[in-house]
Amino acid sequence: MYMDEKCRPCSLPPSPKSTAVYAFSEDTHTQTITVASISAVYAFSEDTHTQTITVDGVLRTVCCHWNRDWHFGPVWGALRLRNNGYEGVLVAIGDEVPQDQAVVDQLKEILTEASADLSQATNHRAYIRDVTIVLPATWRLNASDTACRCCSTSPRDTAQVVVDLPNPVYGDNPYTLQPGLCGDPGEYIHLTPGYVVNKQSSERTWGRRGRLFVHEWGHLRWGLFDEFPAPGDPAFYFHDGRLEAVRCNKNIRGRIHRRDDRGRCRINPRTGKISADCVFSPDASETTARASMMYLNYLPTVHEFCDKTGDPLTDHNQLSPSRQNILCNGQSAWEVMRGHSDFRNGMNPSTDGDRSTTPKFCVVSHSTARRRVMVLDVSGSMKGDRLQLMRQASNLYIRYVIENKSVLGIVEFSEAATTTVLLTEVTSTNVRENITGMLPKKTKGGTSIGAGLKKAMQMLVAGGREGGQMLLISDGEENHAPYIKDVIDSVVNSKIRVDTIAFSQQADRKLGSIAAATGGRNYFFSTTKPSTGLVDALGQSVVSTRRFNPGDEPLMIHSSAVSINRGSSSRGVFFIDSTIGRETVITFSYSNPIAVELTSPSGSKIQQHSPQYQDDTNFKMITIKVTSTAESGSWTYVITAHSQSTVTVTAQSKPKSAADVIYVTSWLSRDNVSFTSSSPMLQIYARVNRGRSAVTSASVMAKLEGPSGRPVILALKDNGVGCDNRRGDGLYCAYILPADIDDNGRFGVKVQVLNSGGGARLSARRQGSAAAVIGDIGQDSRAEDVREEETVEQFERSGQAGVVMVGNRPHNPPADLIPPSRVTDFRLRLLDSELHKAVFAWTAVGDDMDRGNASRYTLSMAHALDQTSGQWTQNISSSTPAGDEVEVTISLPDISGSQTLYAGVTASDDSGNVGETSNTVTVPCDV
């Protein structure tokens, strides 16, 4: 919190008693609250530490209470740029890394150097102010390290930098996992202990470590892409009759030649193809260019990012077919960076550069024993089925989900709050049963969410401690003091993470904001029957964000819900693979009595009188615990209902080895959107891995549950189309489009991954952007290693991606206004100069972004880059499904007086919607 004597402090946005609509914008740092058609906009300035309040367009007040953490970011991992300094930088070391103080010492050296290089690269607009290094729980703190207090909710889950054992595809090469589109942040930067400790070897291979870190920071923070050729992409292009190396800036000097004899590169006049042994050798002694850090950051003179300034030493090369140009539609690095909240509208302007850029470091130990408090709503609106559903899911969570040796307490609240279970270490089955016996059985009164938070916080901070986790479940709007706004500052300052589950559409809209403010996650259970939303959310709340392989966490294999008529049966199947099988538990929560038969892959049956079969009529839940390691293969269950019953089924199991387990991470690109008819609402992402290797060709589906109760099923693809920026890397994506949204309100998103046919593979492709190695750059040097892709056995995983709040949807939205996706891999496959013919190829896109198929492509060519919209055009009808390849042969136009043609392609659909023009391809007129 920051105060200024010249103006008064201001409070958090109010919590009106009447119904309010909240809309949050991370991009503009604003919150809009609409009550009875009157809108109040709260705008927060990170530059001046002020808050302005505008009501119906009229500025009403300015105050100086800057409280960004309340709304915009978690305490741990809340990376932000304030007064030119990045705060909240987290570096986490993996559990499998052997203790070595040199890792910590060298990390400090790397980040100190990187801070100075970052300041120089951004014209003194940004540097690293503070860094927290999180050690594995087994490491001892060194006396020379400055320790800082740490919460017990595992801050490493949000680390921006990870030091862990090598990925089999990358080795010691640093890389950044970058799943999103241009300008979207990456997940994290990956460094290996070998890279960190072996300074001389690392700098001989990749150059100065500080500059390399700034290169990776460009991927992570600002969503920039490489400006050197990506693996498998062309290393050269033609322009003005010359063969040019893919690079930025064009004034980076060097020589194009054959690798072996250094002779002139061969170009086939019939095909236009460049020989595979052609390379570009950068010449550091002849280079004076200052850009770009996203190209060869190891060159001595390179210390800036490219920009479109006209300066020949930093000017962006828009023609180069780099991933930056392809995915950012020709934008320079600085054009993308100026659109980021770090620098938008002049934020964090340049300083004189005299300030110290040395970061402040502190070192903490990762805590494996988490402290949690369940905060359960028992107000009158939770009576009946809602209370029973919460009891069933909480019983499952306490008995089988939370970790051994974790610490758990329970608070229940209505108009006031009561502690029903003090913080208790979970050490045995008896302890778990005792805790479940204290779950609420009655409901009454109004709702004071603030009272529940306050009581839980008092438990977690007792004895001067800080940190911990709350799991808040509530179904209604708060209507009694204390309110969320009354306690949120204290919760944030205590470094407590709050995960929230909105139990129904009527749940208070501020649940999402408190999760965001504390670094927690927000989930949603629609209460529509049948639904697995509640058990999915509770299971997901103990899962880390997968910066590291899972440890002893149970993995949700399968969850389903079904309504069964009296006397009828329902059959289901789930798969257990060889990477899991410890402590396998299958549960069946029911509304009315049922009988279950479970059959293993070998044919063994577990039935009502089997010793593994337990029917708890108090919680209405049948549990089957597999006593030994569960068999791998297909398990089948049959549920028979004695009377009409709604049944929720879960199957979970623990890994045999954390280093080689199949796991899934899923998330949403946004959690709050305003409805629009002409563009996608947001993206759903899922990453599938086995250990450190990507899994491709799996079936990945998302299920949306919204206000209407009508489920929407979407297929996530890994085909390089639309929101998937790289084919075959184990990252799957799908757009949520306007047609998927049938009302305003919350939409919960569940992701299910299945490999029932055994068609999935371990990918040999890279999952992120790897640093450039010093040396020649050529067609073959940038190719990916060709390795046989291993077949992956049958498996199944399930989890919650999160919840999105949708607002401003009209009652009757217009018809199809969604265009096809932009083609991002348009390429010249063959060129026949004698016959004046060219073969172009690209990956087909959809009718609506990446769905279906575009009905027509328009291929355009021109003599000038700015005329590619149609000096010469050719329309091509198509029925090729999105993800498949399109190849066309065309006759080249009259090329007299020109040495280069510029070509592009656009897709359109039957409704006349036209996508953006693809990446530009240069066509040599005289090879």
Side-chain angles (χ1 to χ4, degrees):
M1 183 181 297
Y2 303 92
M3 303 297 296
D4 187 329
E5 294 180 355
K6 297 180 181 178
C7 60
R8 67 173 184 83
C10 53
S11 60
L12 297 172
S15 174
K17 294 183 179 180
S18 57
T19 301
V21 177
Y22 286 73
F24 305 99
S25 172
E26 177 75 31
D27 291 338
T28 60
H29 287 184
T30 60
Q31 170 182 341
T32 302
I33 303 178
T34 303
V35 184
S37 77
I38 298 176
S39 292
V41 179
Y42 291 75
F44 306 90
S45 170
E46 189 154 14
D47 187 31
T48 60
H49 310 316
T50 60
Q51 170 182 310
T52 61
I53 304 175
T54 306
V55 180
D56 279 353
V58 179
L59 182 65
R60 296 300 177 98
T61 183
V62 177
C63 42
C64 298
H65 174 166
W66 167 248
N67 195 351
R68 181 182 189 273
D69 280 343
W70 176 77
H71 162 219
F72 289 108
V75 175
W76 290 101
L79 179 66
R80 65 176 184 179
L81 185 61
R82 184 179 66 84
N83 287 346
N84 304 102
Y86 280 110
E87 300 172 340
V89 177
L90 277 175
V91 182
I93 301 173
D95 292 334
E96 297 174 78
V97 176
Q99 178 156 3
D100 185 353
Q101 181 61 28
V103 173
V104 177
D105 294 340
Q106 287 298 309
L107 279 171
K108 293 178 180 179
E109 183 175 318
I110 291 170
L111 289 159
T112 299
E113 184 180 308
S115 182
D117 289 337
L118 180 62
S119 180
Q120 184 180 31
T122 59
N123 193 24
H124 308 297
R125 297 183 69 175
Y127 69 98
I128 300 172
R129 178 173 291 138
D130 64 63
V131 178
T132 299
I133 300 174
V134 186
L135 307 181
T138 56
W139 285 32
R140 292 190 304 273
L141 282 171
N142 190 286
S144 63
D145 288 325
T146 303
C148 54
R149 299 175 72 189
C150 174
C151 58
S152 63
T153 51
S154 189
R156 71 177 189 169
D157 291 352
T158 55
Q160 302 95 19
V161 183
V162 165
V163 180
D164 206 358
L165 299 185
N167 182 300
V169 176
Y170 293 91
D172 281 328
N173 197 330
Y175 65 91
T176 301
L177 283 182
Q178 191 174 8
L181 304 176
C182 181
D184 291 342
E187 288 189 65
Y188 59 87
I189 298 169
H190 185 281
L191 307 176
T192 68
Y195 172 82
V196 172
V197 172
N198 300 318
K199 177 179 179 179
Q200 290 185 344
S201 173
S202 296
E203 294 197 336
R204 282 196 305 269
T205 306
W206 295 284
R208 284 183 50 195
R209 296 181 300 173
R211 287 192 181 179
L212 184 145
F213 188 90
V214 174
H215 172 95
E216 299 301 329
W217 193 260
H219 294 304
L220 177 81
R221 181 63 176 175
W222 304 309
L224 306 179
F225 290 89
D226 289 323
E227 293 179 316
F228 53 77
D233 287 350
F236 303 97
Y237 67 102
F238 290 96
H239 179 57
D240 289 343
R242 294 182 55 185
L243 185 64
E244 297 278 1
V246 171
R247 68 196 191 281
C248 187
N249 164 288
K250 281 186 68 175
N251 280 301
I252 290 178
R253 305 300 183 188
R255 184 168 178 264
I256 298 174
H257 58 87
R258 294 198 299 270
R259 184 183 299 277
D260 295 334
D261 60 11
R262 304 189 69 81
R264 185 175 180 181
C265 290
R266 300 182 182 91
I267 303 173
N268 189 320
R270 292 285 298 174
T271 64
K273 285 195 170 183
I274 305 161
S275 60
D277 61 351
C278 189
V279 297
F280 172 65
S281 298
D283 189 340
S285 64
E286 293 292 325
T287 294
T288 58
R290 302 191 303 274
S292 171
M293 292 293 284
M294 299 311 295
Y295 181 54
L296 303 184
N297 49 272
Y298 60 75
L299 293 176
T301 62
V302 171
H303 59 265
E304 298 182 33
F305 293 98
C306 270
D307 200 359
K308 292 180 181 177
T309 61
D311 183 342
L313 299 183
T314 60
D315 205 29
H316 180 61
N317 179 10
Q318 191 172 347
L319 292 175
S320 176
S322 65
R323 287 184 67 79
Q324 172 66 23
N325 275 333
I326 290 171
L327 295 175
C328 294
N329 206 3
Q331 291 185 91
S332 69
W334 260 115
E335 285 180 290
V336 177
M337 291 160 65
R338 281 192 290 268
H340 192 278
S341 58
D342 286 350
F343 306 121
R344 188 188 303 121
N345 300 324
M347 292 285 285
N348 295 289
S350 298
T351 62
D352 55 19
D354 290 337
R355 77 169 83 194
S356 172
T357 61
T358 301
K360 175 185 176 182
F361 292 94
C362 64
V363 182
V364 300
S365 290
H366 167 59
S367 174
T368 56
R370 297 190 176 186
R371 297 185 307 130
R372 298 186 181 91
V373 177
M374 299 181 74
V375 186
L376 307 178
D377 188 344
V378 293
S379 61
S381 57
M382 286 289 293
K383 67 181 177 181
D385 285 349
R386 292 188 178 185
L387 180 64
Q388 177 63 26
L389 289 168
M390 184 174 71
R391 280 174 48 81
Q392 286 179 328
S394 299
N395 176 56
L396 171 63
Y397 173 78
I398 296 165
R399 286 178 182 264
Y400 306 116
V401 176
I402 58 174
E403 312 91 331
N404 289 324
K405 297 185 179 180
S406 60
V407 177
L408 182 68
I410 297 178
V411 166
E412 59 182 51
F413 69 91
S414 54
E415 296 174 9
T418 304
T419 299
T420 57
V421 177
L422 294 171
L423 286 175
T424 304
E425 185 176 10
V426 179
T427 56
S428 67
T429 300
N430 286 338
V431 171
R432 294 175 186 266
E433 290 179 355
N434 290 338
I435 295 174
T436 60
M438 300 302 294
L439 286 169
K441 301 179 179 66
K442 297 180 180 180
T443 62
K444 62 176 182 178
T447 304
S448 173
I449 297 175
L453 293 171
K454 184 177 180 180
K455 182 70 72 173
M457 179 180 62
Q458 290 170 347
M459 221 193 303
L460 289 169
V461 302
R465 303 190 67 170
E466 65 179 16
Q469 180 184 1
M470 297 184 200
L471 182 57
L472 169 64
I473 303 177
S474 180
D475 76 331
E477 290 190 354
E478 54 182 355
N479 50 31
H480 282 77
Y483 298 102
I484 291 175
K485 68 181 179 64
D486 299 323
V487 301
I488 183 62
D489 274 346
S490 298
V491 174
V492 168
N493 292 335
S494 298
K495 297 181 180 178
I496 295 169
R497 165 180 159 174
V498 184
D499 289 339
T500 59
I501 300 177
F503 202 115
S504 81
Q505 291 290 343
Q506 292 73 41
D508 202 294
R509 301 296 178 95
K510 294 184 288 299
L511 293 182
S513 65
I514 190 172
T518 60
R521 296 190 68 177
N522 184 28
Y523 302 101
F524 170 61
F525 174 51
S526 67
T527 69
T528 302
K529 296 181 180 180
S531 172
T532 64
L534 187 56
V535 294
D536 291 336
L538 284 165
Q540 197 71 39
S541 70
V542 303
V543 177
S544 73
T545 54
R546 301 304 188 204
R547 297 295 192 263
F548 303 93
N549 291 330
D552 204 40
E553 300 168 356
L555 299 177
M556 184 69 78
I557 307 165
H558 172 86
S559 68
S560 65
V562 62
S563 290
I564 308 173
N565 292 326
R566 178 181 179 180
S568 298
S569 296
S570 177
R571 180 179 182 274
V573 176
F574 62 88
F575 297 94
I576 293 182
D577 57 89
S578 63
T579 71
I580 55 177
R582 291 193 308 113
E583 300 181 33
T584 302
V585 177
I586 304 96
T587 66
F588 303 83
S589 302
Y590 54 83
S591 58
N592 287 305
I594 57 171
V596 174
E597 180 181 84
L598 179 68
T599 305
S600 73
S602 63
S604 298
K605 295 184 183 297
I606 300 174
Q607 299 170 320
Q608 192 166 2
H609 300 295
S610 302
Q612 306 98 313
Y613 188 108
Q614 298 176 356
D615 188 353
D616 186 335
T617 56
N618 180 32
F619 285 100
K620 297 185 177 181
M621 187 171 79
I622 293 172
T623 302
I624 297 175
K625 292 190 283 188
V626 180
T627 52
S628 58
T629 301
E631 295 177 43
S632 298
S634 174
W635 291 68
T636 303
Y637 58 85
V638 177
I639 309 168
T640 302
H642 305 306
S643 58
Q644 198 283 330
S645 188
T646 299
V647 184
T648 300
V649 184
T650 72
Q652 61 182 32
S653 186
K654 290 186 177 182
K656 293 177 182 175
S657 167
D660 189 37
V661 64
I662 298 170
Y663 63 92
V664 177
T665 312
S666 59
W667 68 96
L668 306 178
S669 62
R670 301 175 65 186
D671 59 8
N672 235 295
V673 297
S674 181
F675 187 89
T676 175
S677 300
S678 57
S679 63
M681 309 295 292
L682 68 155
Q683 296 92 254
I684 311 169
Y685 289 102
R687 186 181 298 284
V688 187
N689 282 77
R690 195 184 81 182
R692 293 179 175 85
S693 298
V695 176
T696 64
S697 302
S699 171
V700 183
M701 309 299 291
K703 180 180 180 180
L704 277 64
E705 290 187 7
S708 70
R710 175 182 65 90
V712 176
I713 308 298
L714 304 177
L716 279 66
K717 300 293 182 65
D718 182 16
N719 59 4
V721 176
C723 55
D724 183 55
N725 70 33
R726 191 188 300 261
R727 176 193 290 266
D729 64 352
L731 177 71
Y732 301 76
C733 184
Y735 287 113
I736 296 180
L737 300 178
D740 305 322
I741 304 298
D742 56 8
D743 205 346
N744 292 306
R746 292 181 172 97
F747 287 77
V749 182
K750 174 182 180 178
V751 170
Q752 294 178 290
V753 181
L754 186 63
N755 183 40
S756 58
R761 300 286 186 273
L762 286 188
S763 175
R765 291 175 179 262
R766 293 180 170 182
Q767 291 183 283
S769 302
V773 176
I774 295 175
D776 296 339
I777 302 172
Q779 304 286 91
D780 54 353
S781 64
R782 299 306 300 163
E784 294 187 87
D785 295 334
V786 179
R787 300 188 296 134
E788 184 176 350
E789 295 188 339
E790 180 183 341
T791 301
V792 180
E793 63 190 298
Q794 291 180 319
F795 72 88
E796 181 178 359
R797 296 292 185 271
S798 180
Q800 272 256 0
V803 58
V804 59
M805 179 72 76
V806 178
N808 298 325
R809 182 189 184 276
H811 182 66
N812 291 307
D816 179 19
L817 297 178
I818 300 296
S821 292
R822 176 175 174 259
V823 173
T824 57
D825 65 346
F826 183 53
R827 56 200 181 275
L828 176 65
R829 174 159 287 172
L830 293 173
L831 175 66
D832 192 323
S833 301
E834 295 179 7
L835 298 177
H836 299 289
K837 290 186 179 295
V839 179
F840 292 95
W842 61 90
T843 301
V845 296
D847 174 281
D848 293 340
M849 302 307 289
D850 54 357
R851 297 189 203 171
N853 59 273
S855 60
R856 187 178 70 174
Y857 294 94
T858 301
L859 197 151
S860 305
M861 287 181 286
H863 285 308
L865 179 62
D866 58 359
Q867 297 176 346
T868 53
S869 59
Q871 197 168 354
W872 294 284
T873 61
Q874 181 167 333
N875 292 322
I876 303 149
S877 297
S878 177
S879 59
T880 306
D884 291 354
E885 186 174 89
V886 178
E887 182 178 286
V888 296
T889 301
I890 68 164
S891 297
L892 294 173
D894 180 12
I895 55 177
S896 57
S898 176
Q899 293 181 308
T900 304
L901 287 174
Y902 302 91
V905 67
T906 58
S908 54
D909 63 19
D910 289 331
S911 299
N913 301 307
V914 180
E916 296 182 29
T917 303
S918 71
N919 57 295
T920 300
V921 170
T922 58
V923 182
C925 299
D926 184 16
V927 177

